[in-house]
Amino acid sequence: TEKSANINCHLNYDHDMDWDQLSGDLKINLYRITQESLQNCVKHAHAKNVTLDFGSVKSNLDITIIDDGKGFNIKKGKRGIGLKNITSRVKKLDGSWAITSAIGEGTSVSIKLPIQSRLAKEELSNEQNALIQA
């Protein structure tokens, strides 16, 4: 049987942003990054509370995921496949990310992803494909 994670999850997002304008590629990678982060909150941190903040500043999408779990020493130990996957996805989207944590103090993941450059690249790619097919 599956057991509930029993985590209180708080979601804050920018109500003024047109979330539908985001590219499919950006949306699916953002979903996977968030999914991986939340899985870490359950599997490793044993967090009781998680806050997800989705906002935009200028032409960037800013995401912050904060938990009150057991935390870890980021200078010690190897990075697991989950963190490597986040790194890979953020890099693919021309973004940046940082993780801060300390034993007994929870973990914070901050992600910055450019919005406009992703749209511009996709539009350019679509135009190039149209020219090739013409």
Side-chain angles (χ1 to χ4, degrees):
T1 62
E2 294 225 349
K3 194 173 158 186
S4 172
N6 204 23
I7 290 181
N8 294 315
C9 195
H10 307 279
L11 173 65
N12 304 309
Y13 67 96
D14 182 349
H15 294 276
D16 295 329
M17 184 173 166
D18 181 6
W19 292 94
D20 291 332
Q21 76 158 345
L22 299 178
S23 70
D25 188 40
L26 181 57
K27 286 178 189 176
I28 191 66
N29 281 288
L30 179 57
Y31 174 80
R32 296 289 185 212
I33 290 166
T34 304
Q35 182 181 41
E36 187 64 52
S37 296
L38 291 175
Q39 184 172 330
N40 287 343
C41 292
V42 173
K43 187 176 178 182
H44 302 293
H46 305 287
K48 297 289 182 222
N49 297 286
V50 177
T51 300
L52 297 133
D53 288 315
F54 291 84
S56 60
V57 177
K58 297 184 181 177
S59 61
N60 284 322
L61 188 59
D62 288 352
I63 304 101
T64 306
I65 303 164
I66 301 170
D67 72 58
D68 65 353
K70 63 182 185 176
F72 66 102
N73 183 341
I74 60 174
K75 294 183 196 281
K76 286 189 176 181
K78 62 180 183 183
R79 293 224 166 181
I81 190 72
L83 295 180
K84 289 177 184 173
N85 285 340
I86 292 173
T87 298
S88 173
R89 289 180 185 280
V90 169
K91 184 177 180 182
K92 176 183 176 186
L93 297 170
D94 301 323
S96 62
W97 79 292
I99 186 166
T100 56
S101 187
I103 294 173
E105 295 183 20
T107 301
S108 175
V109 175
S110 299
I111 304 156
K112 289 192 183 311
L113 303 172
I115 298 170
Q116 297 306 324
S117 67
R118 296 298 304 165
L119 295 173
K121 283 182 184 177
E122 284 188 12
E123 288 171 8
L124 181 59
S125 176
N126 290 340
E127 287 176 20
Q128 288 171 339
N129 288 338
L131 288 173
I132 292 170
Q133 294 173 357

